[in-house]
Amino acid sequence: MIKEKRWKKEFEKELREFWDKNNVYEFKKSEKVFSIDTPPPYPSGKPWHIGAVAHYSQIDMIARTARMFGNNVLFPVGIDRNGLPVEIYTEKKYNVQMHKISREKFVQLCKKSLDELEEYMIQILHTIGFSADFKNHRYRTDSEEYRKLTQATFIELWKKGLIYEDTRPNNYCVKTKTTIADAEIEYKEIETNLVYIKFKTEDGKQLVIATTRPELLGACAAILYNPNDERYKGLKGNAIVPIYGHKVPIIPHPYAKPEFGTGLVMICSYGDYADVRLFRELKLPEKILIDENGRMNKNSGKYEGLLVKEAREKITKDLQEMGLVEKIEKIMHRTPFSERGKHPIEIIPMKEYYLKQIPFLDDVRKCAEKIKFHPDYYKQFLFDWIDSVSIDWPITRRRFYGTEVPIWYCKKCGEPHVPEPGKYYQPWKQKAPFEKCKKCGNKEFVGDERTLDTWMDSSISALFISGYKRDEELFKSAFPVSLRPQAKEIIRTWLYYTILRVWQLTNKCVFKHVWIGGHGVDEHGKKMSKSLGNIVDPVPILEKYGADTFRFWNAAEANVGSDFRYSESRLIAAQKFLTKLWNLSRFISGFQKEDNYKLTASDEWIISELNKTIEKCKKGYEEFNFFIPANEIKHFAWSIFADHYIEMVKARAYNKEGKFSKEEQNGAIRTLYLVLENIIKLLAPICPFITEKIWLELFSKESIHKQKFPEKIKVKQIEGITEKLIEFNSEVWKYKKEKGMPLNSSIKRAKAYKELEIFKQDLIEMHNIEELEFGEKIEIGE
RNA sequence: GGGCCUGUAGUCUAGUGGCUAUGACGUCGCCCUUACACGGCGAAGGUCCCCGGUUCGAAUCCGGGCAGGCCCACCA
């Protein structure tokens, strides 16, 4: 018997304790495993994005669904703790600069920030009822065990010859002083000056060239015009670069677009990726003007020491004074920015290690083809990215908080030495594990000081959680991984790199399913961001409404893959449904189930309706689409079961006046319990708390989360009359309303559709009708 | 420039060829009918973005616009 009048979020705490105590979500090894490569959240600051919390709620629903479908589910939880964002967070929080304090000290501060943020996130996950195995399958990507594996895979790929060192122009973030991969670049439209500069050719002709990067004049190596451009046909020889005075060839090339600027374009090392490509293609001599601090170097002559921006202004002014500027236009220019550092990037050649990816693009594409995407249109995002990858992956970073590049170099000849896999190496502070250089025999080594791109760590999460190289038994059962759930914005990074790396290491396709969640946006459909000031903190929301309300809102809010809006009024709507469900259960809990029962047509009808609901929910769950079951269950439980069936059988279930037989009475009670039992089982993956509470009160002492997903119930199917029933009930209610009669007052005579005759007795009691007839249409009253 | 997605009452949303277009929030009435007033019943509110086509029939399919979002691309 349920006593409390409302579902209280305070119940959630005791239920969490019940689950913890009974190890309800503990993973036990078995032959077949449904493995989930849970995204390890990145602790980048507070508050945690409410959209992310919603995202994790949905991932939890996937795990719970898989369990109820009879799978043994490996549902780990990790925390991603490597890389740039935490370094930036730490610099700000402790007001330090990474390069100005000792590495040891900085690493410690990062750890401190991470521990605190991790605790905060784990707390939230726990609060929302995240059913991962926190005790046995919780990991950190910066743990020794994890980094050891990252390094082992690095060493393995090194030995396969897939990693090489090269000096080539690369994306370089001057603010964070590190090379970054193309996948980490984002573009912004910003206003820029397009400066029209006068050049002279050797034979004295004047040329005007438009550029956004006048400070790179000193690195200019060629001038191009389009071969079809009538204005410049026949132009050849050399041009003289203003200020610097060096001569550069004038070359016809289709890259130059006649309609842009003057139709002449100068090629410099390096203003953009086109420059990189053209330098390579035309074999032009490279000259670097910008150093790794983002300042002009000595190659730039009198601009040495200035920041790029300052140099741009200064040289423009100088050119103007020399009368060499024809005009300046303001244009919107698409500029590459570092996604994480939020600063414009420069293209600077650096010596870095690269992981080969170009030769594997076809394999990655084949893997992607085999994976089932939910929803399927996101597969295209991955293909688009694969098609646009054009250079190998630079994997070394000049940062401190990351997995160390496990290489030592001979101090004498520079030969790189890679240690044996299986240990965690920190070359920046450890002694080299080698006796002497294998090349020159020298005995002194120096460790590499760089770290690996954090995607080198993240891209093996699927291997880490499934026990690769650490637990063969688990690996056999959990790999390939059943499902990767993730957000859409990291398709080109996390998903792509994982497929690539796992293929390189195992020659297998890593996932069977990929599930892509949408974004959480504010109630006007705008992306939440700190600058817009529309960030919603999840903690007070969870405190106010509880996890199940949040989860139900989240499930019922948007279709799989589409963005969902945060709105408090909708949360309240979700809360009302939980109250309704609670009161339904409270009502039913007042009756005693007995064995001698007989189902009447009304009972068979509601069970038939339940069966349809089970089918629909199952279909939704199978696609990991919680929008479908959430709304189906709500509709069935509220608008059919409560509004019509319960009202119909109330009299029979109470049977106060003895108008029904004992068997008929028990039939109603039996059916009430049966339908409720199935409703809460259907809802359990979405609302694990309230369903558990009702379940434990009324049905069993063993957790609902150990139960199987409902099957259709064998019953005489009664179909096609639900709408007629609803219409008839509605007409009666309307009639009483119009006459100003209370709903429990009696009606002398009524006529209902003949299909409803099977419900006769229940309908008479429900509406208090003295004489009920049946025919072709509804008639009420005299 | 290419691709993907979206456009349905004040707001949000369901609906992929068929009866008077779904539901929620909000609004307006009436009702505490012994599970629930976080409830019940009822009502108002829509040129289903626009134009054209296919069809007996289009919110739904096709073509062309317009608007918004996202992804990709070497326009200095």
Tab-separated table of all heavy atoms in Angstrom, chain A residues 6 260 333 492 570 579-580 583 586 638 654 730 737 743, chain B residues 12 30 33 35-36 38-42 72-73 75-76:
chain	number	residue	atom	x	y	z
A	6	ARG	N	2.386	12.096	-2.975
A	6	ARG	CA	3.143	12.487	-4.169
A	6	ARG	C	4.477	11.777	-4.215
A	6	ARG	O	5.057	11.458	-3.189
A	6	ARG	CB	3.455	13.989	-4.140
A	6	ARG	CG	2.263	14.845	-4.261
A	6	ARG	CD	2.674	16.262	-4.649
A	6	ARG	NE	1.686	17.216	-4.234
A	6	ARG	CZ	0.422	17.181	-4.603
A	6	ARG	NH1	-0.003	16.218	-5.395
A	6	ARG	NH2	-0.437	18.063	-4.180
A	260	PHE	N	38.794	37.999	-57.859
A	260	PHE	CA	39.174	38.435	-56.523
A	260	PHE	C	40.284	39.477	-56.586
A	260	PHE	O	41.284	39.291	-57.270
A	260	PHE	CB	39.628	37.252	-55.670
A	260	PHE	CG	39.766	37.619	-54.210
A	260	PHE	CD1	38.711	37.417	-53.324
A	260	PHE	CD2	40.932	38.212	-53.738
A	260	PHE	CE1	38.828	37.801	-52.008
A	260	PHE	CE2	41.050	38.594	-52.406
A	260	PHE	CZ	39.994	38.387	-51.544
A	333	HIS	N	36.675	37.793	-43.556
A	333	HIS	CA	37.617	36.755	-43.943
A	333	HIS	C	37.479	35.556	-43.021
A	333	HIS	O	37.428	35.702	-41.798
A	333	HIS	CB	39.033	37.321	-43.877
A	333	HIS	CG	40.083	36.363	-44.296
A	333	HIS	ND1	41.264	36.239	-43.638
A	333	HIS	CD2	40.113	35.475	-45.304
A	333	HIS	CE1	41.992	35.295	-44.224
A	333	HIS	NE2	41.306	34.816	-45.240
A	492	ARG	N	34.305	13.934	-36.070
A	492	ARG	CA	35.551	13.969	-36.850
A	492	ARG	C	36.791	13.746	-35.986
A	492	ARG	O	37.874	13.541	-36.516
A	492	ARG	CB	35.661	15.276	-37.617
A	492	ARG	CG	35.823	16.485	-36.738
A	492	ARG	CD	35.894	17.733	-37.595
A	492	ARG	NE	36.208	18.903	-36.781
A	492	ARG	CZ	36.435	20.107	-37.293
A	492	ARG	NH1	36.400	20.290	-38.588
A	492	ARG	NH2	36.711	21.116	-36.498
A	570	ARG	N	8.449	22.833	-19.372
A	570	ARG	CA	8.327	21.451	-19.816
A	570	ARG	C	8.771	20.468	-18.750
A	570	ARG	O	8.273	19.358	-18.657
A	570	ARG	CB	9.179	21.227	-21.044
A	570	ARG	CG	8.544	21.728	-22.257
A	570	ARG	CD	9.448	21.372	-23.418
A	570	ARG	NE	9.511	22.498	-24.289
A	570	ARG	CZ	8.458	22.915	-24.978
A	570	ARG	NH1	7.322	22.271	-24.910
A	570	ARG	NH2	8.546	23.962	-25.739
A	579	THR	N	3.762	12.479	-11.053
A	579	THR	CA	2.739	12.533	-10.008
A	579	THR	C	1.539	11.666	-10.386
A	579	THR	O	0.998	10.922	-9.571
A	579	THR	CB	2.264	13.986	-9.802
A	579	THR	OG1	3.394	14.793	-9.540
A	579	THR	CG2	1.284	14.081	-8.652
A	580	LYS	N	1.173	11.786	-11.657
A	580	LYS	CA	0.038	11.002	-12.145
A	580	LYS	C	0.326	9.509	-11.991
A	580	LYS	O	-0.509	8.752	-11.481
A	580	LYS	CB	-0.206	11.341	-13.614
A	580	LYS	CG	-1.436	10.697	-14.205
A	580	LYS	CD	-2.680	11.430	-13.766
A	580	LYS	CE	-3.939	10.701	-14.223
A	580	LYS	NZ	-5.158	11.406	-13.798
A	583	ASN	N	0.120	8.440	-8.397
A	583	ASN	CA	-1.232	8.334	-7.870
A	583	ASN	C	-2.001	7.163	-8.453
A	583	ASN	O	-2.825	6.558	-7.761
A	583	ASN	CB	-1.983	9.643	-8.094
A	583	ASN	CG	-1.649	10.629	-6.990
A	583	ASN	OD1	-1.955	10.387	-5.831
A	583	ASN	ND2	-0.966	11.699	-7.347
A	586	ARG	N	-0.821	4.458	-6.397
A	586	ARG	CA	-1.377	4.568	-5.061
A	586	ARG	C	-2.815	4.038	-5.046
A	586	ARG	O	-3.208	3.280	-4.153
A	586	ARG	CB	-1.372	6.030	-4.604
A	586	ARG	CG	-1.753	6.230	-3.163
A	586	ARG	CD	-1.235	7.551	-2.651
A	586	ARG	NE	-1.942	8.678	-3.219
A	586	ARG	CZ	-3.005	9.250	-2.618
A	586	ARG	NH1	-3.462	8.794	-1.478
A	586	ARG	NH2	-3.590	10.274	-3.188
A	638	TRP	N	-1.843	7.639	-19.142
A	638	TRP	CA	-2.665	8.755	-18.706
A	638	TRP	C	-3.990	8.815	-19.474
A	638	TRP	O	-5.079	8.780	-18.887
A	638	TRP	CB	-1.884	10.075	-18.924
A	638	TRP	CG	-2.383	11.245	-18.147
A	638	TRP	CD1	-3.684	11.520	-17.833
A	638	TRP	CD2	-1.599	12.296	-17.577
A	638	TRP	NE1	-3.763	12.681	-17.119
A	638	TRP	CE2	-2.491	13.184	-16.945
A	638	TRP	CE3	-0.232	12.585	-17.552
A	638	TRP	CZ2	-2.064	14.339	-16.286
A	638	TRP	CZ3	0.189	13.731	-16.904
A	638	TRP	CH2	-0.712	14.604	-16.268
A	654	TYR	N	-14.192	-1.869	-6.617
A	654	TYR	CA	-14.709	-1.682	-5.240
A	654	TYR	C	-15.823	-2.673	-4.956
A	654	TYR	O	-15.897	-3.250	-3.866
A	654	TYR	CB	-15.249	-0.249	-5.071
A	654	TYR	CG	-14.177	0.808	-4.879
A	654	TYR	CD1	-14.082	1.896	-5.739
A	654	TYR	CD2	-13.281	0.739	-3.807
A	654	TYR	CE1	-13.119	2.879	-5.558
A	654	TYR	CE2	-12.324	1.716	-3.618
A	654	TYR	CZ	-12.244	2.791	-4.490
A	654	TYR	OH	-11.300	3.758	-4.302
A	730	SER	N	-16.754	10.753	-23.739
A	730	SER	CA	-16.656	12.184	-23.895
A	730	SER	C	-18.036	12.830	-24.058
A	730	SER	O	-18.313	13.876	-23.484
A	730	SER	CB	-15.771	12.458	-25.116
A	730	SER	OG	-15.326	13.761	-25.095
A	737	LYS	N	-21.965	18.059	-18.346
A	737	LYS	CA	-21.380	19.399	-18.217
A	737	LYS	C	-22.374	20.468	-18.647
A	737	LYS	O	-22.640	21.444	-17.949
A	737	LYS	CB	-20.119	19.435	-19.093
A	737	LYS	CG	-19.519	20.766	-19.304
A	737	LYS	CD	-18.130	20.817	-18.744
A	737	LYS	CE	-18.189	20.612	-17.265
A	737	LYS	NZ	-17.134	20.999	-16.465
A	743	LEU	N	-20.603	14.889	-12.299
A	743	LEU	CA	-20.248	13.723	-13.115
A	743	LEU	C	-20.758	12.402	-12.530
A	743	LEU	O	-20.922	11.427	-13.243
A	743	LEU	CB	-18.732	13.657	-13.328
A	743	LEU	CG	-18.175	14.682	-14.332
A	743	LEU	CD1	-16.682	14.512	-14.481
A	743	LEU	CD2	-18.844	14.582	-15.700
B	12	C	P	8.745	28.348	-31.270
B	12	C	OP1	10.149	28.656	-31.553
B	12	C	OP2	7.718	28.475	-32.322
B	12	C	O5'	8.644	26.860	-30.697
B	12	C	C5'	9.685	26.374	-29.850
B	12	C	C4'	9.249	25.096	-29.200
B	12	C	O4'	7.935	25.268	-28.600
B	12	C	C3'	9.007	23.904	-30.122
B	12	C	O3'	10.213	23.306	-30.565
B	12	C	C2'	8.222	22.993	-29.191
B	12	C	O2'	9.042	22.428	-28.202
B	12	C	C1'	7.276	24.004	-28.547
B	12	C	N1	6.004	24.067	-29.298
B	12	C	C2	5.076	23.033	-29.114
B	12	C	O2	5.358	22.124	-28.321
B	12	C	N3	3.909	23.043	-29.800
B	12	C	C4	3.650	24.028	-30.645
B	12	C	N4	2.495	23.992	-31.300
B	12	C	C5	4.574	25.104	-30.872
B	12	C	C6	5.726	25.085	-30.186
B	30	C	P	-16.551	30.023	-14.459
B	30	C	OP1	-17.494	31.024	-13.935
B	30	C	OP2	-15.121	30.083	-14.103
B	30	C	O5'	-17.100	28.578	-14.108
B	30	C	C5'	-18.377	28.181	-14.614
B	30	C	C4'	-18.431	26.704	-14.734
B	30	C	O4'	-17.482	26.237	-15.726
B	30	C	C3'	-18.011	25.921	-13.495
B	30	C	O3'	-19.005	25.941	-12.491
B	30	C	C2'	-17.801	24.543	-14.102
B	30	C	O2'	-19.014	23.902	-14.411
B	30	C	C1'	-17.069	24.921	-15.390
B	30	C	N1	-15.596	24.890	-15.213
B	30	C	C2	-14.934	23.647	-15.195
B	30	C	O2	-15.620	22.614	-15.317
B	30	C	N3	-13.598	23.598	-15.028
B	30	C	C4	-12.906	24.735	-14.894
B	30	C	N4	-11.590	24.635	-14.744
B	30	C	C5	-13.537	26.013	-14.905
B	30	C	C6	-14.867	26.044	-15.065
B	33	U	P	-15.896	16.557	-5.164
B	33	U	OP1	-16.785	16.358	-3.996
B	33	U	OP2	-14.529	16.082	-5.097
B	33	U	O5'	-16.574	15.922	-6.452
B	33	U	C5'	-17.708	15.125	-6.270
B	33	U	C4'	-17.526	13.765	-6.896
B	33	U	O4'	-17.784	13.895	-8.276
B	33	U	C3'	-16.099	13.199	-6.810
B	33	U	O3'	-15.944	12.435	-5.626
B	33	U	C2'	-16.030	12.327	-8.055
B	33	U	O2'	-16.549	11.046	-7.822
B	33	U	C1'	-16.917	13.070	-9.040
B	33	U	N1	-16.243	13.946	-10.051
B	33	U	C2	-14.862	14.056	-10.162
B	33	U	O2	-14.086	13.465	-9.457
B	33	U	N3	-14.404	14.914	-11.134
B	33	U	C4	-15.165	15.629	-12.001
B	33	U	O4	-14.612	16.365	-12.820
B	33	U	C5	-16.577	15.467	-11.841
B	33	U	C6	-17.047	14.649	-10.913
B	35	A	P	-10.751	7.244	-5.197
B	35	A	OP1	-11.402	7.370	-6.487
B	35	A	OP2	-11.064	6.120	-4.298
B	35	A	O5'	-9.169	7.233	-5.409
B	35	A	C5'	-8.267	7.195	-4.306
B	35	A	C4'	-6.942	7.767	-4.726
B	35	A	O4'	-6.435	7.024	-5.874
B	35	A	C3'	-6.997	9.214	-5.205
B	35	A	O3'	-6.858	10.091	-4.099
B	35	A	C2'	-5.789	9.284	-6.136
B	35	A	O2'	-4.592	9.387	-5.399
B	35	A	C1'	-5.829	7.906	-6.791
B	35	A	N9	-6.618	7.883	-8.028
B	35	A	C8	-7.957	7.672	-8.181
B	35	A	N7	-8.363	7.681	-9.431
B	35	A	C5	-7.210	7.916	-10.145
B	35	A	C6	-6.953	8.041	-11.522
B	35	A	N6	-7.894	7.925	-12.459
B	35	A	N1	-5.687	8.276	-11.906
B	35	A	C2	-4.735	8.386	-10.976
B	35	A	N3	-4.853	8.277	-9.641
B	35	A	C4	-6.115	8.037	-9.300
B	36	C	P	-7.443	11.548	-4.175
B	36	C	OP1	-7.276	12.121	-2.826
B	36	C	OP2	-8.778	11.497	-4.804
B	36	C	O5'	-6.443	12.280	-5.165
B	36	C	C5'	-5.123	12.616	-4.749
B	36	C	C4'	-4.318	13.025	-5.945
B	36	C	O4'	-4.416	11.999	-6.958
B	36	C	C3'	-4.819	14.279	-6.662
B	36	C	O3'	-4.293	15.426	-6.047
B	36	C	C2'	-4.233	14.094	-8.060
B	36	C	O2'	-2.890	14.488	-8.120
B	36	C	C1'	-4.327	12.584	-8.240
B	36	C	N1	-5.497	12.172	-9.046
B	36	C	C2	-5.322	12.014	-10.427
B	36	C	O2	-4.208	12.225	-10.914
B	36	C	N3	-6.375	11.636	-11.186
B	36	C	C4	-7.561	11.416	-10.619
B	36	C	N4	-8.568	11.049	-11.414
B	36	C	C5	-7.763	11.571	-9.211
B	36	C	C6	-6.712	11.954	-8.462
B	38	C	P	-2.111	21.673	-7.434
B	38	C	OP1	-1.750	21.046	-6.177
B	38	C	OP2	-1.727	23.056	-7.700
B	38	C	O5'	-1.578	20.767	-8.643
B	38	C	C5'	-1.377	21.324	-9.983
B	38	C	C4'	-0.734	20.226	-10.793
B	38	C	O4'	0.635	20.119	-10.329
B	38	C	C3'	-1.438	18.917	-10.468
B	38	C	O3'	-2.354	18.453	-11.465
B	38	C	C2'	-0.331	17.954	-9.967
B	38	C	O2'	-0.192	16.803	-10.744
B	38	C	C1'	0.948	18.807	-9.995
B	38	C	N1	1.655	18.802	-8.710
B	38	C	C2	2.884	18.123	-8.652
B	38	C	O2	3.289	17.537	-9.664
B	38	C	N3	3.577	18.126	-7.502
B	38	C	C4	3.090	18.778	-6.432
B	38	C	N4	3.804	18.760	-5.327
B	38	C	C5	1.859	19.460	-6.473
B	38	C	C6	1.181	19.453	-7.623
B	39	G	P	-2.098	18.169	-12.916
B	39	G	OP1	-0.776	17.593	-13.129
B	39	G	OP2	-2.544	19.363	-13.663
B	39	G	O5'	-3.179	17.026	-13.161
B	39	G	C5'	-3.219	15.894	-12.316
B	39	G	C4'	-4.629	15.569	-11.897
B	39	G	O4'	-5.068	16.494	-10.868
B	39	G	C3'	-5.700	15.731	-12.950
B	39	G	O3'	-5.674	14.672	-13.875
B	39	G	C2'	-6.956	15.755	-12.093
B	39	G	O2'	-7.247	14.480	-11.593
B	39	G	C1'	-6.482	16.638	-10.951
B	39	G	N9	-6.795	18.047	-11.223
B	39	G	C8	-5.898	19.075	-11.457
B	39	G	N7	-6.494	20.222	-11.666
B	39	G	C5	-7.852	19.936	-11.570
B	39	G	C6	-8.974	20.784	-11.696
B	39	G	O6	-8.980	21.995	-11.934
B	39	G	N1	-10.161	20.096	-11.528
B	39	G	C2	-10.255	18.756	-11.261
B	39	G	N2	-11.487	18.271	-11.135
B	39	G	N3	-9.219	17.949	-11.135
B	39	G	C4	-8.054	18.605	-11.297
B	40	G	P	-6.042	14.920	-15.382
B	40	G	OP1	-5.695	13.699	-16.111
B	40	G	OP2	-5.542	16.227	-15.838
B	40	G	O5'	-7.621	15.038	-15.266
B	40	G	C5'	-8.377	13.916	-14.837
B	40	G	C4'	-9.821	14.290	-14.781
B	40	G	O4'	-10.014	15.345	-13.801
B	40	G	C3'	-10.388	14.905	-16.042
B	40	G	O3'	-10.678	13.910	-17.011
B	40	G	C2'	-11.647	15.577	-15.501
B	40	G	O2'	-12.640	14.623	-15.190
B	40	G	C1'	-11.096	16.166	-14.208
B	40	G	N9	-10.606	17.534	-14.402
B	40	G	C8	-9.297	17.956	-14.487
B	40	G	N7	-9.188	19.249	-14.657
B	40	G	C5	-10.508	19.713	-14.677
B	40	G	C6	-11.025	21.025	-14.829
B	40	G	O6	-10.405	22.083	-14.974
B	40	G	N1	-12.417	21.037	-14.807
B	40	G	C2	-13.198	19.924	-14.659
B	40	G	N2	-14.516	20.129	-14.663
B	40	G	N3	-12.742	18.687	-14.504
B	40	G	C4	-11.391	18.660	-14.523
B	41	C	P	-10.492	14.242	-18.525
B	41	C	OP1	-10.654	12.967	-19.237
B	41	C	OP2	-9.280	15.065	-18.748
B	41	C	O5'	-11.755	15.161	-18.793
B	41	C	C5'	-13.059	14.622	-18.652
B	41	C	C4'	-14.066	15.716	-18.767
B	41	C	O4'	-13.866	16.678	-17.697
B	41	C	C3'	-13.949	16.579	-20.012
B	41	C	O3'	-14.493	15.939	-21.145
B	41	C	C2'	-14.768	17.782	-19.582
B	41	C	O2'	-16.147	17.521	-19.580
B	41	C	C1'	-14.276	17.960	-18.145
B	41	C	N1	-13.126	18.889	-18.081
B	41	C	C2	-13.384	20.266	-18.076
B	41	C	O2	-14.561	20.648	-18.125
B	41	C	N3	-12.340	21.132	-18.029
B	41	C	C4	-11.086	20.674	-17.985
B	41	C	N4	-10.114	21.566	-17.943
B	41	C	C5	-10.802	19.276	-18.004
B	41	C	C6	-11.831	18.422	-18.050
B	42	G	P	-13.873	16.236	-22.568
B	42	G	OP1	-14.593	15.369	-23.511
B	42	G	OP2	-12.401	16.206	-22.511
B	42	G	O5'	-14.297	17.748	-22.808
B	42	G	C5'	-15.637	18.030	-23.163
B	42	G	C4'	-15.891	19.510	-23.039
B	42	G	O4'	-15.364	20.007	-21.787
B	42	G	C3'	-15.204	20.405	-24.055
B	42	G	O3'	-15.843	20.359	-25.305
B	42	G	C2'	-15.395	21.758	-23.380
B	42	G	O2'	-16.730	22.204	-23.456
B	42	G	C1'	-15.083	21.385	-21.927
B	42	G	N9	-13.662	21.637	-21.643
B	42	G	C8	-12.663	20.714	-21.445
B	42	G	N7	-11.501	21.273	-21.214
B	42	G	C5	-11.755	22.642	-21.279
B	42	G	C6	-10.890	23.755	-21.117
B	42	G	O6	-9.684	23.745	-20.876
B	42	G	N1	-11.562	24.966	-21.275
B	42	G	C2	-12.905	25.085	-21.543
B	42	G	N2	-13.373	26.330	-21.662
B	42	G	N3	-13.724	24.058	-21.688
B	42	G	C4	-13.091	22.876	-21.543
B	72	C	P	33.646	20.793	-39.977
B	72	C	OP1	34.727	20.046	-39.313
B	72	C	OP2	33.431	22.222	-39.682
B	72	C	O5'	33.800	20.631	-41.562
B	72	C	C5'	34.160	19.375	-42.108
B	72	C	C4'	34.004	19.385	-43.605
B	72	C	O4'	32.691	19.878	-43.953
B	72	C	C3'	34.913	20.331	-44.367
B	72	C	O3'	36.226	19.831	-44.480
B	72	C	C2'	34.191	20.382	-45.706
B	72	C	O2'	34.350	19.195	-46.436
B	72	C	C1'	32.750	20.495	-45.243
B	72	C	N1	32.315	21.911	-45.136
B	72	C	C2	32.027	22.611	-46.316
B	72	C	O2	32.151	22.019	-47.401
B	72	C	N3	31.635	23.897	-46.244
B	72	C	C4	31.515	24.497	-45.068
B	72	C	N4	31.122	25.766	-45.038
B	72	C	C5	31.809	23.808	-43.837
B	72	C	C6	32.206	22.532	-43.922
B	73	A	P	37.440	20.892	-44.473
B	73	A	OP1	38.648	20.080	-44.424
B	73	A	OP2	37.202	21.957	-43.474
B	73	A	O5'	37.285	21.549	-45.920
B	73	A	C5'	37.372	20.734	-47.084
B	73	A	C4'	37.194	21.588	-48.295
B	73	A	O4'	35.825	22.063	-48.376
B	73	A	C3'	38.010	22.871	-48.339
B	73	A	O3'	39.342	22.626	-48.715
B	73	A	C2'	37.240	23.680	-49.380
B	73	A	O2'	37.490	23.223	-50.681
B	73	A	C1'	35.802	23.337	-48.976
B	73	A	N9	35.290	24.309	-47.999
B	73	A	C8	35.305	24.208	-46.630
B	73	A	N7	34.795	25.261	-46.020
B	73	A	C5	34.417	26.096	-47.061
B	73	A	C6	33.821	27.370	-47.091
B	73	A	N6	33.482	28.045	-45.988
B	73	A	N1	33.601	27.931	-48.291
B	73	A	C2	33.956	27.260	-49.399
B	73	A	N3	34.521	26.057	-49.503
B	73	A	C4	34.731	25.530	-48.287
B	75	C	P	38.529	28.548	-49.487
B	75	C	OP1	38.005	27.650	-48.461
B	75	C	OP2	37.967	28.476	-50.848
B	75	C	O5'	38.378	30.018	-48.930
B	75	C	C5'	38.050	31.060	-49.804
B	75	C	C4'	39.246	31.537	-50.512
B	75	C	O4'	39.021	31.292	-51.912
B	75	C	C3'	39.528	33.024	-50.397
B	75	C	O3'	40.441	33.308	-49.359
B	75	C	C2'	40.065	33.370	-51.771
B	75	C	O2'	41.422	33.067	-51.908
B	75	C	C1'	39.208	32.474	-52.657
B	75	C	N1	37.879	33.075	-52.950
B	75	C	C2	37.622	33.547	-54.244
B	75	C	O2	38.495	33.441	-55.081
B	75	C	N3	36.420	34.110	-54.527
B	75	C	C4	35.515	34.204	-53.584
B	75	C	N4	34.370	34.755	-53.902
B	75	C	C5	35.732	33.705	-52.269
B	75	C	C6	36.920	33.167	-51.999
B	76	A	P	40.118	34.592	-48.455
B	76	A	OP1	39.597	34.090	-47.220
B	76	A	OP2	39.300	35.447	-49.333
B	76	A	O5'	41.502	35.319	-48.106
B	76	A	C5'	42.160	35.993	-49.088
B	76	A	C4'	43.434	35.246	-49.375
B	76	A	O4'	43.459	35.014	-50.772
B	76	A	C3'	44.654	36.064	-48.989
B	76	A	O3'	45.638	35.225	-48.402
B	76	A	C2'	45.072	36.685	-50.308
B	76	A	O2'	46.450	36.819	-50.366
B	76	A	C1'	44.572	35.670	-51.340
B	76	A	N9	44.145	36.300	-52.587
B	76	A	C8	43.961	37.617	-52.845
B	76	A	N7	43.596	37.872	-54.078
B	76	A	C5	43.533	36.620	-54.679
B	76	A	C6	43.213	36.206	-55.976
B	76	A	N6	42.882	37.051	-56.934
B	76	A	N1	43.249	34.895	-56.235
B	76	A	C2	43.595	34.055	-55.258
B	76	A	N3	43.914	34.324	-53.989
B	76	A	C4	43.866	35.640	-53.757
